[in-house]
Amino acid sequence: MPASLDTVRGLACLLLVCFHVVGDTPARGLGLPAESGWHYASDSLALIRMPVFTILSGLLYGCHRASLRNIEDFAIKKLRRLGIPLLVLTLLMWSGRSLVHGEDVSLPYALTHSYEHLWFLQALLWVFASVALVDCLARPSPVRLAMLVGGAALLSALTHTTSFLSLERAIYLLPFFLYGLLLSQLPAGFLSRRNGIAALVAALAIMAYAQGGLLGIVPRLRPDGIPAFACGAAACTALLALLPRIGALATIGHYSYSIYLWHVFFLAGGRMALRAAGHEDVPMLFLASAFCGLAGPILLHRVAIRHEWSAIALLGIKPARRGLQAA
């Protein structure tokens, strides 16, 4: 594994938390107008935010690939890791939003379609199932994996299907996950400084073009298109190859899954508490909400891991008997 893995995971977490602090629309998050510089900055990172998360998931899967020998144990672990928190958090989030805002979707819809940030868990279940099936039947080599990456990128660009169980989002994530798996099978020298710089130049070039789309100068890049895939893959390659280990980010990365699951609850709670106290300064709200979105899930993880029932229900993990276990 690259020495910078946890640092890159931490950076991906930070970008995700900041995105949800700002909000994906003017009606969400800090409630800022669409033309706000905060939204512009957040939109500028859209091509690398979830792609990096997904590529790292594929990279980690590559260390423990499914096979006919372990498929039953693999399936049980993934259902526990993804399925149980998906169910628990959907129920909690839907109930909370219904009480506070008046949720405009039904509970059955929330459980069976893309709902808030939890769509990622539904989509990953599809991705893990499909990749594990391929690994059990064929165990593709790096060359064939590269072909699968290209085919999946084309499929994502050309296919538009149902949002039921986030299938469409799964097709969007698949090429990134497969690219992460491919990275895990390549020699360590692939993530050299030279390749990292080349990947960085490619990612910056595509992101520069994307700025023109945000400014209305050129057509906006589709997040599921080939250029967007190339940008996400190149950016993650550059980060893994060039980013040194940064202690604070590595600590965040160590708890990345717990942060992903619970950050929305804590950042929203922090924002609401500050506004109830009369604070409306946007930079202060942003920093305080982001801090709550990072620190809250870490504290929750450390408390929940003390008991098997809470670790499974809230985090999807079975704690090791000898001590704490992070995401």
Side-chain angles (χ1 to χ4, degrees), residues 19 52 100 194 234 255 302 326:
F19 169 69
V52 169
V100 176
R194 179 179 178 179
Y255 294 96
R302 297 182 69 86

Side-chain angles (χ1 to χ4, degrees), residues 24-41:
D24 57 343
T25 69
R28 308 290 291 271
L30 293 175
L32 301 171
E35 61 274 12
S36 165
W38 294 89
H39 279 294
Y40 178 81

Side-chain angles (χ1 to χ4, degrees), residues 7-313:
T7 298
V8 178
R9 292 171 80 186
L11 178 61
C13 271
L14 185 60
L15 294 179
L16 180 70
V17 169
C18 290
F19 169 69
H20 283 127
V21 169
V22 174
D24 57 343
T25 69
R28 308 290 291 271
L30 293 175
L32 301 171
E35 61 274 12
S36 165
W38 294 89
H39 279 294
Y40 178 81
S42 180
D43 292 344
S44 296
L45 298 169
L47 295 181
I48 64 173
R49 202 162 32 229
M50 293 312 296
V52 169
F53 245 117
T54 311
I55 291 169
L56 295 181
S57 296
L59 182 63
L60 292 169
Y61 166 78
C63 299
H64 305 282
R65 295 172 73 173
S67 67
L68 289 175
R69 270 187 335 220
N70 70 1
I71 188 60
E72 182 177 354
D73 186 54
F74 176 85
I76 290 172
K77 286 182 178 178
K78 290 306 173 188
L79 285 172
R80 181 181 68 221
R81 190 73 163 123
L82 300 172
I84 293 177
L86 172 62
L87 177 61
V88 171
L89 268 76
T90 299
L91 292 172
L92 288 175
M93 182 166 285
W94 184 88
S95 300
R97 289 181 59 84
S98 296
L99 289 173
V100 176
H101 304 292
E103 186 54 275
D104 56 358
V105 302
S106 67
L107 180 57
Y109 185 92
L111 290 168
T112 57
H113 291 74
S114 298
Y115 182 66
E116 298 298 323
H117 70 295
L118 302 175
W119 66 265
F120 186 66
L121 304 183
Q122 282 186 334
L124 272 187
L125 284 169
W126 282 107
V127 170
F128 274 117
S130 58
V131 174
L133 178 62
V134 170
D135 262 351
C136 287
L137 296 177
R139 195 75 167 192
S141 66
V143 172
R144 291 184 176 178
L145 275 174
M147 295 171 64
L148 287 174
V149 170
L154 283 173
L155 178 68
S156 176
L158 299 175
T159 303
H160 298 280
T161 184
T162 178
S163 63
F164 181 72
L165 295 179
S166 300
L167 179 58
E168 188 170 34
R169 301 290 187 97
I171 294 174
Y172 159 67
L173 295 181
L174 183 59
F176 296 110
F177 187 93
L178 287 171
Y179 181 72
L181 174 56
L182 175 62
L183 283 181
S184 74
Q185 306 305 303
L186 294 175
F190 179 78
L191 292 175
S192 65
R193 180 173 180 80
R194 179 179 178 179
N195 287 347
I197 292 173
L200 179 61
V201 171
L204 290 176
I206 298 172
M207 291 181 72
Y209 179 87
Q211 297 305 302
L214 294 176
L215 296 171
I217 301 171
V218 297
R220 293 187 70 153
L221 289 180
R222 286 173 42 198
D224 56 355
I226 299 296
F229 166 74
C231 183
C236 192
T237 301
L239 290 171
L240 289 170
L242 302 175
L243 200 63
R245 188 183 186 280
I246 301 172
L249 285 178
T251 299
I252 293 172
H254 191 59
Y255 294 96
S256 60
Y257 185 60
S258 300
I259 292 172
Y260 183 84
L261 292 176
W262 292 96
H263 70 280
V264 170
F265 293 87
F266 287 96
L267 67 85
R271 181 185 67 242
M272 292 169 65
L274 284 170
R275 282 186 160 157
H279 299 289
E280 289 294 340
D281 181 67
V282 172
M284 186 187 73
L285 285 171
F286 176 84
L287 292 174
S289 298
F291 176 80
C292 291
L294 294 169
I298 293 175
L299 293 175
L300 174 67
H301 179 108
R302 297 182 69 86
V303 172
I305 202 70
R306 296 176 183 174
H307 305 284
E308 185 171 337
W309 68 268
S310 56
I312 292 175

